[in-house]
Amino acid sequence: MLNIDAIHLREINMPLAHPFETSFGMTTSRRILLIELESEGLTAWGECVAGEHPYFSEETIDTAWIITEAELGPRLLDADVERGGSCPKIFGQVRGHRMAKAALENAVWDLEAQVKRVSLSELLGGTRSVIPCGVSIGIQPSPAHLMDKIAAELAAGYQRIKLKCKPGWDTNIFEAVRNRWPDITLSCDANSVYRMKDLEDIAEWDRFNLLMIEQPLWWDDFYFHSLLQKRLETSVCLDESIRNRRDALAAIAMESCRIINIKVGRVGGFSEAIGVHNIAEERGIPVWCGGMLETGIGRSHNIALSSLPNFTLPGDVSASSRYWSQDIIEPAVTVSDKGEIAVPTAVGRGFEVQRDRIDALTVRRQTLHAKARVTA
Ligand code: OSB
Ligand code: MG
């Protein structure tokens, strides 16, 4: 039994080292909800990946805060928590709010790993000692800026370049990049900006030999993606559309995609992420771990998840320094010149949380306490 004594919610504000632009907007600074669990002298952490605005999904940091405080936190404190995998049932009555649920559930897995004295990777069923890394490069002020960024990331060793795209920053950009780098592993991510009227234009991209086209159409769609996938040589990858195992089953059965991006926050926590991973693996669909501009806490959890066997494609899990001038963990996440991150073997998440640094960044906090336990 994991006796959780208190749940601390914190909002930290962290400026990004570089602005990040997608088809849904520009992010220059992040407001992040961190969860800290206290349990019999141990502390465990979770990070909520919801953004400031409901542009990627319906959730925001503010909805996550409210639902954690009013619903999820009290349920967790009242429940008999055996392990991280107990959380989906504990939260089951609450619909949606998957990023809020994931922050708590992942913290419980972090705690369970510490109690069992194993690494988080081992607890999740990881088998890799290193994970292959790619980068997601935002829309840039000019093609020249983009070329410089790509050159720098390739020089650093990253194994796959993903370009954020949107109408006006797509065919022309892929053309320019392929002219300079005909053979690199290249993909793109549209974050749901295209519509069926764009189908012929998207079909033209087959000539760029992209590893995948990520979430080209509506954020909640399977059917139109299946029509698009039938028209393409290139694999479609779904991100936003995949909320759970059933979505993965539906998308695979309908041939809406040939690759799945797993984001642990988007699917509601490690239990569901492992479930999606297993469903994809059994059906020959490769997966990779998406990123949400996480701090080192969420990043350490993504590294552990990426060590599962079917994470065969390079993920968007990259070095701390690409995001932050100073991360909130020690050591910072680094990537080797082969474009790999070593999976920690130490007990728990394998990175120390820098509480002083977090305190300095905190703008809001709230503590939920467990009721006094009756001990038999
Ligand atoms: O679609 O993968 C996405 C960031 C915010 C919201 C959505 C996405 C992203 C990224 C960031 O691509 C990847 C990273 O963390 O490096
Ligand atoms: Mg994406």
Side-chain angles (χ1 to χ4, degrees):
M1 188 72 69
L2 304 169
N3 288 324
I4 299 168
D5 305 314
I7 302 172
H8 301 280
L9 291 74
R10 275 192 196 74
E11 177 181 339
I12 60 169
N13 288 182
M14 274 176 91
L16 282 169
H18 309 281
F20 189 75
E21 186 175 348
T22 70
S23 65
F24 58 72
M26 175 83 89
T27 308
T28 53
S29 180
R30 302 243 21 245
R31 294 175 54 205
I32 298 164
L33 166 58
L34 295 180
I35 296 292
E36 181 186 5
L37 302 181
E38 256 184 78
S39 172
E40 303 179 331
L42 296 174
T43 58
W45 293 85
E47 174 171 344
C48 179
V49 298
E52 181 169 358
H53 301 285
Y55 299 162
F56 175 83
S57 75
E58 301 96 323
E59 287 185 84
T60 71
I61 173 174
D62 296 304
T63 68
W65 187 287
I66 289 172
I67 211 76
T68 302
E69 190 180 351
E71 297 282 348
L72 304 176
R75 275 164 216 263
L76 187 62
L77 289 169
D78 282 350
D80 290 333
V81 186
E82 293 286 342
R83 51 201 158 82
S86 312
C87 288
K89 198 164 169 205
I90 294 167
F91 300 147
Q93 198 176 13
V94 176
R95 294 186 181 177
H97 299 285
R98 293 182 304 278
M99 293 175 178
K101 289 173 177 171
L104 284 171
E105 179 179 332
N106 297 353
V108 177
W109 283 85
D110 186 312
L111 176 63
E112 183 185 351
Q114 295 179 53
V115 169
K116 293 187 170 158
R117 307 291 303 162
V118 297
S119 71
L120 184 57
S121 161
E122 189 179 343
L123 185 65
L124 293 171
T127 54
R128 288 166 200 284
S129 56
V130 294
I131 61 164
C133 304
V135 286
S136 174
I137 303 184
I139 293 164
Q140 299 295 312
S142 74
H145 282 86
L146 178 66
M147 295 295 167
D148 290 349
K149 279 241 168 188
I150 296 173
E153 305 294 13
L154 291 171
Y158 286 104
Q159 299 183 18
R160 182 225 61 199
I161 301 288
K162 160 173 141 183
L163 304 177
K164 291 290 185 175
C165 65
K166 65 177 182 182
W169 186 269
D170 47 21
T171 312
N172 52 334
I173 294 301
F174 306 149
E175 185 97 61
V177 172
R178 271 299 182 224
N179 282 340
R180 176 144 167 210
W181 291 286
D183 299 322
I184 59 169
T185 305
L186 188 66
S187 71
C188 70
D189 186 0
N191 288 112
S192 306
V193 78
Y194 297 104
R195 296 295 173 255
M196 290 307 271
K197 67 175 165 46
D198 303 311
L199 190 137
E200 296 308 319
D201 291 335
I202 295 173
E204 284 292 306
W205 301 348
D206 277 341
R207 69 191 159 97
F208 299 123
N209 186 28
L210 301 175
L211 176 63
M212 70 189 94
I213 300 172
E214 185 177 342
Q215 200 71 38
L217 304 172
W218 296 266
W219 60 284
D220 56 356
D221 169 76
F222 299 112
Y223 174 65
F224 290 102
H225 280 98
S226 78
L227 300 183
L228 175 65
Q229 180 68 92
K230 282 180 189 42
R231 282 295 319 279
L232 298 179
E233 295 281 329
T234 310
S235 294
V236 170
C237 170
L238 291 178
D239 174 356
E240 283 89 328
S241 293
I242 306 290
R243 300 162 302 175
N244 51 43
R245 285 170 289 181
R246 287 178 297 101
D247 283 348
L249 281 170
I252 295 168
M254 292 172 74
E255 298 180 42
S256 307
C257 64
R258 297 189 199 125
I259 296 174
I260 292 176
N261 166 340
I262 298 182
K263 287 180 178 164
V264 61
R266 196 195 65 225
V267 302
F270 281 134
S271 302
E272 199 68 25
I274 295 167
V276 172
H277 165 275
N278 294 346
I279 278 169
E281 183 173 43
E282 286 154 16
R283 288 160 184 77
I285 300 287
V287 304
W288 55 278
C289 183
M292 292 289 282
L293 312 176
E294 289 91 346
T295 75
I297 293 174
R299 197 164 298 280
S300 68
H301 290 176
N302 287 343
I303 293 167
L305 181 65
S306 302
S307 70
L308 270 67
N310 194 36
F311 282 83
T312 52
L313 297 172
D316 282 347
V317 184
S318 41
S320 296
S321 60
R322 294 191 65 249
Y323 306 86
W324 318 111
S325 57
Q326 203 187 342
D327 205 336
I328 59 173
I329 52 162
E330 279 286 342
V333 174
T334 54
V335 172
S336 76
D337 56 10
K338 287 196 217 132
E340 294 173 336
I341 294 175
V343 179
T345 53
V347 167
R349 84 191 81 76
F351 296 86
E352 286 300 324
V353 172
Q354 301 300 100
R355 192 186 300 274
D356 292 356
R357 172 110 179 99
I358 290 174
D359 284 344
L361 296 166
T362 298
V363 296
R364 172 162 62 145
R365 58 197 305 164
Q366 166 81 35
T367 297
L368 311 175
H369 291 285
K371 296 190 197 102
R373 280 198 183 81
V374 184
T375 44

